[in-house]
Amino acid sequence: MIRQILTLATATFLLAGCQPKVEAPAETRVGFIYVGPRTDFGYNYAMDQGRMAVEKDLGVKTVFFENIPENAEVERVMERMIADGIKIIFPTSYGYLDPALNVAAKHPDVKFMHAGGFKLAPNLGTFFADIDEVEYLSGMAAGASTKTGKLGFIAAHPIPQTLRNINAFTLGAQSVNPKATMTVVWTGSWSDPTKEAEAANTLADQGVDVLTMHVDGPITIAQTAEKRGIMVCGYHADASSFAPKGWVTGAAWNWAPLMEKIVKSIHDTTWKSVHLRGKLSDGYVKMASYGPVVPESVKPKIDSVKKAYETGAKLWSGPILDQAGTIVLAAGDTLPMAKIESMNFLVKGVVGSLK
């Protein structure tokens, strides 16, 4: 089930009976803003797949802007959309949250749904899904496939979402291969193919034989891994076609059902300013196909953990140790959502820093 966290702002909004009048679906125009190209076969591609489904399935009109940086430019794009009559805006990049809050405060009649943030306003909510559950499963496949025990993670920025994925992937790998280590390289950009290729080659030179990533597009890293004769786990979408020999598996989004649910709720006035989150069990995230390198023996174990997550098991359950071996979550405890969404540590076995 989708989890909703009601806040004081929400309660005030609902008690005041301030639900705005909404347009009929055919008249509804929905705006989407992407930080990169929608053809990246990654984060922006997955968001755009959701947009197209919203347009097709609900019969509404959509507008999108791509390659919009996470600065004042995105505020100008949102203002432009609003001036053009758009009443629902999806700012889809993590760094769009504060600009969206600024614009939302000026336009209370417009609804904003930000992807992955953890702040609210009366007319701004957030949505995301626990893809770290699939990252754990991918890590299990990687941990069983590696020959050197050395894994590599190429990521853009050390924000909570990337740390969740690094930690989940590492914990999954260590669950089947306790000696596995994970070396992290930060690129400082959501999309920089040159730096991503350099990082992939550097990690390969160090003996890493399975790469994975949290950057906007997986293509460069997947293709570099294939050229170097090492393995790769994808992210955002099934990129197996870019590394057919070394493909392990990957974590992919399925935004269409959640985006459609949001647009419908705005139309029927049931929308609330909440942090809307989905899980593996909701179908909003999914595991990509297995590649030829994954041992058959680990697949039943992965299936078992996947079923456990689908029936309520908690990924962030103790004991969990940080890089220094200090207990950050005791046995029997689970991390609450606020702690998960503000994660600021790396688990034991990760090589690298938070900067």
Side-chain angles (χ1 to χ4, degrees), residues 197-281:
E198 289 176 354
N201 281 314
T202 297
L203 289 167
D205 290 341
Q206 295 173 356
V208 166
D209 66 351
V210 183
L211 294 177
T212 189
M213 75 292 288
H214 188 152
V215 293
D216 269 4
I219 298 175
T220 297
I221 296 169
Q223 291 179 329
T224 303
E226 190 81 346
K227 289 178 183 176
R228 293 297 302 263
I230 61 175
M231 296 171 275
V232 64
C233 284
Y235 188 58
H236 298 309
D238 188 335
S240 55
S241 61
F242 299 101
K245 294 180 181 177
W247 180 255
V248 179
T249 184
W253 305 103
N254 180 30
W255 290 125
L258 186 52
M259 288 179 172
E260 291 177 1
K261 187 181 185 74
I262 291 167
V263 173
K264 286 178 181 177
S265 72
I266 294 172
H267 168 59
D268 65 19
T269 71
T270 60
W271 180 88
K272 298 175 183 177
S273 172
V274 297
H275 296 301
L276 194 61
R277 296 294 186 268
K279 298 175 68 64
L280 184 62
S281 56

Side-chain angles (χ1 to χ4, degrees), residues 135 149-159 161-171 174 180-188 195-196 198-200 202-204 206 208 210-215 221 323 345-355:
E135 287 286 286
K150 296 181 178 180
L151 315 176
F153 204 115
I154 301 167
H157 304 287
I159 63 173
Q161 292 170 2
T162 54
L163 300 181
R164 288 172 62 179
N165 286 340
I166 293 167
N167 290 338
F169 194 99
T170 304
L171 292 172
Q174 292 172 342
T181 61
M182 171 68 79
T183 300
V184 176
V185 176
W186 303 106
T187 64
K195 286 187 177 179
E196 291 161 16
E198 289 176 354
T202 297
L203 289 167
Q206 295 173 356
V208 166
V210 183
L211 294 177
T212 189
M213 75 292 288
H214 188 152
V215 293
I221 296 169
Q323 284 178 294
F345 65 89
L346 292 167
V347 298
K348 189 175 182 180
V350 176
V351 180
S353 68
L354 288 169
K355 297 181 179 178

Side-chain angles (χ1 to χ4, degrees), residues 66-85:
E66 53 188 338
N67 298 310
I68 305 302
E70 296 171 320
N71 55 31
E73 178 64 20
V74 73
E75 290 194 35
R76 288 191 283 271
V77 170
M78 285 186 270
E79 292 285 4
R80 178 178 171 183
M81 286 181 165
I82 294 167
D84 200 33

Side-chain angles (χ1 to χ4, degrees), residues 5-16 120-122 272-274:
I5 299 180
L6 296 177
T7 68
L8 180 60
T10 304
T12 302
F13 182 61
L14 294 175
L15 289 172
L120 297 173
K272 298 175 183 177
S273 172
V274 297

